[in-house]
Amino acid sequence: MAHAIVIGAGIGGLTTAAALQHKGWTVTVYERAPALEAVGAGIAMAPNALRALETIGAAEPIRQRGAFQGDGGVRRPNGTWLSRTNAQTAATRFGDPTVVLLRSTTIDVLAGLLTPGTLHLGVTVTGISPDEGTVTTDHGTDQADLIVGADGIQSPTRAALFPDHPGPRYSGATAWRLTTPSPHAATGHASETWGPGTVFGVMPMSEGQIYCYATAPAPPGEHGTPEEEKARLQELFGTWHDPIPELLDAVTPDRILRNDIHHLPRPLPAFHRGRTALVGDAAHPMTPNLGQGACQAAEDAVVLAHEVTDGDGLPAYTRARLPRTTQVMRRSHTIGRLAGISATIPRAGRDSLLWLAGHMGPGVVLRQGDFLFAWQPPART
């Protein structure tokens, strides 16, 4: 029986492990953290991600634990809508809604699919041999037919495979994520508000919770205490439309996460070398503007499992995933640049174009999502 080692137990790593086990592989997952991710950030699983998760039996548990994203759109800081989307129309077009839930809940669902004994926490990978399939950890050495690097944006596995590649670059913006109880969770609309170089997103979840995210220009590494981060958010967004001020007042500082945004301006030459492959942020770190980081990782996982089991191996995995994820990375970065416009005249022009597109009918806006959400997982041969 073929054996795989997966480095990293985030969404990409756990989905890959589950997909490989679903195909009959034995899998070992090494995660350096002593416990699975328990942070309170939210996550949106779009129709393409749900279609990928359907192949391993994870889509329905995700739907049951999440909230369907309702009607939404893009707003100005004063609350006026620039464009609107209808949830039912979108679900009909793409075959599934977008489901919003806690990231930690998604991790729990995926980990629950794994065979007992698969996951090894508190183990740090200190080196790999990509061509020989050897992994060295602080607990010893292991050999596998396949190594999967799912070790995040600053992936050591990527650096080992492509040591001459420049790697991720700071985008110039930082991001906050938070969750808080709110009476608006049951009736509120999902929205993303674009201000002068700043963005604030509101996404209702289940169980009376709302997930919020925000971005703003900032020097890299300029992080404060939780209380200082809350004060910074209130300074930036406290005068914007309801319910943003109320949500910022309600959130406790310990529920606020801040991370600088990095992306990969120059795509990798391949997603594999020798016996080793990359998935998720290790392969294609992208800005969060399309909400596709975890979704593309889920696609990677099921395509990789298919190609190494029923397809043409790792070269076919690269051929299938590199062009698509490059397109997603670039489009996400473009949207981030549009959302980050701060000058008054260019921002007015951008808002006018958004308003025009939003008033030409829902099909105009939804068609922009076809290349993302119409994706289909590979069929077994």
Side-chain angles (χ1 to χ4, degrees):
M1 185 179 293
H3 177 222
I5 296 172
V6 177
I7 305 170
I11 289 175
L14 293 175
T15 308
T16 301
L20 287 168
Q21 286 189 343
H22 192 72
K23 292 286 190 179
W25 289 64
T26 62
V27 181
T28 301
V29 179
Y30 290 133
E31 168 56 51
R32 65 181 179 181
L36 286 179
E37 184 176 337
V39 295
I43 190 170
M45 302 304 285
N48 56 312
L50 293 175
R51 209 168 287 123
L53 295 175
E54 195 82 64
T55 66
I56 60 172
E60 192 53 36
I62 294 294
R63 294 188 190 100
Q64 291 173 358
R65 289 165 173 78
F68 294 162
Q69 186 180 48
D71 297 350
V74 180
R75 308 175 79 170
R76 291 189 177 98
N78 64 9
T80 58
W81 291 93
L82 293 170
S83 68
R84 301 291 297 269
T85 55
N86 177 270
Q88 186 55 55
T89 303
T92 300
R93 183 181 187 92
F94 303 126
D96 235 319
T98 294
V99 177
V100 186
L101 69 168
L102 288 173
R103 190 179 189 91
S104 57
T105 301
T106 308
I107 293 287
D108 288 344
V109 168
L110 295 170
L113 299 176
L114 301 182
T115 303
T118 298
L119 185 58
H120 299 262
L121 299 172
V123 177
T124 299
V125 173
T126 57
I128 68 167
S129 175
D131 299 313
E132 297 172 5
T134 302
V135 172
T136 303
T137 75
D138 51 2
H139 287 58
T141 302
D142 200 356
Q143 184 104 20
D145 303 286
L146 172 68
I147 301 171
V148 181
D151 43 355
I153 292 174
Q154 304 299 337
S155 167
T157 307
R158 179 181 62 235
L161 266 60
F162 306 106
D164 296 327
H165 191 277
R169 179 190 302 167
Y170 180 51
S171 69
T174 195
W176 295 267
R177 295 171 292 158
L178 61 95
T179 58
T180 186
S182 172
H184 298 280
T187 58
H189 293 289
S191 66
E192 188 168 280
T193 304
W194 290 11
T198 48
V199 172
F200 198 98
V202 177
M203 304 184 77
M205 298 192 300
S206 59
E207 299 180 2
Q209 296 279 322
I210 282 188
Y211 167 51
C212 301
Y213 57 89
T215 63
E222 190 182 70
H223 298 186
T225 65
E227 291 75 18
E228 289 171 337
E229 296 300 339
K230 175 172 177 172
R232 179 62 174 151
L233 286 170
Q234 290 176 313
E235 176 187 350
L236 288 169
F237 306 104
T239 61
W240 286 22
H241 64 79
D242 292 334
I244 294 173
E246 176 187 331
L247 295 172
L248 292 177
D249 287 342
V251 68
T252 57
D254 62 295
R255 302 294 293 273
I256 299 172
L257 305 173
R258 180 174 175 180
N259 301 96
D260 290 340
I261 299 172
H262 292 78
H263 67 122
L264 200 67
R266 179 174 143 194
L268 294 174
F271 285 172
H272 77 284
R273 187 183 124 198
R275 298 185 185 185
T276 304
L278 301 171
V279 300
D281 285 342
H284 42 73
M286 60 186 69
T287 66
N289 302 92
L290 285 176
Q292 279 287 307
C295 299
Q296 290 302 304
E299 289 186 17
D300 291 343
V302 300
V303 173
L304 176 62
H306 166 80
E307 293 296 351
V308 297
T309 308
D310 304 314
D312 297 321
L314 292 180
Y317 168 64
T318 285
R319 289 194 299 270
R321 297 303 301 158
L322 182 55
R324 174 166 169 79
T325 56
T326 298
Q327 183 183 18
V328 176
M329 281 196 305
R330 287 174 174 165
R331 187 169 297 194
S332 186
H333 185 247
T334 297
I335 293 175
R337 291 181 64 185
L338 285 173
I341 293 174
S342 57
T344 302
I345 294 177
R347 187 158 49 93
R350 176 203 69 188
D351 291 355
S352 297
L353 290 174
L354 279 173
W355 184 91
L356 181 62
H359 286 75
M360 291 176 66
V364 174
V365 176
L366 291 178
R367 278 199 297 273
Q368 305 308 308
D370 284 350
F371 92 103
L372 284 177
F373 305 139
W375 176 87
Q376 295 289 334
R380 185 182 179 93
T381 57

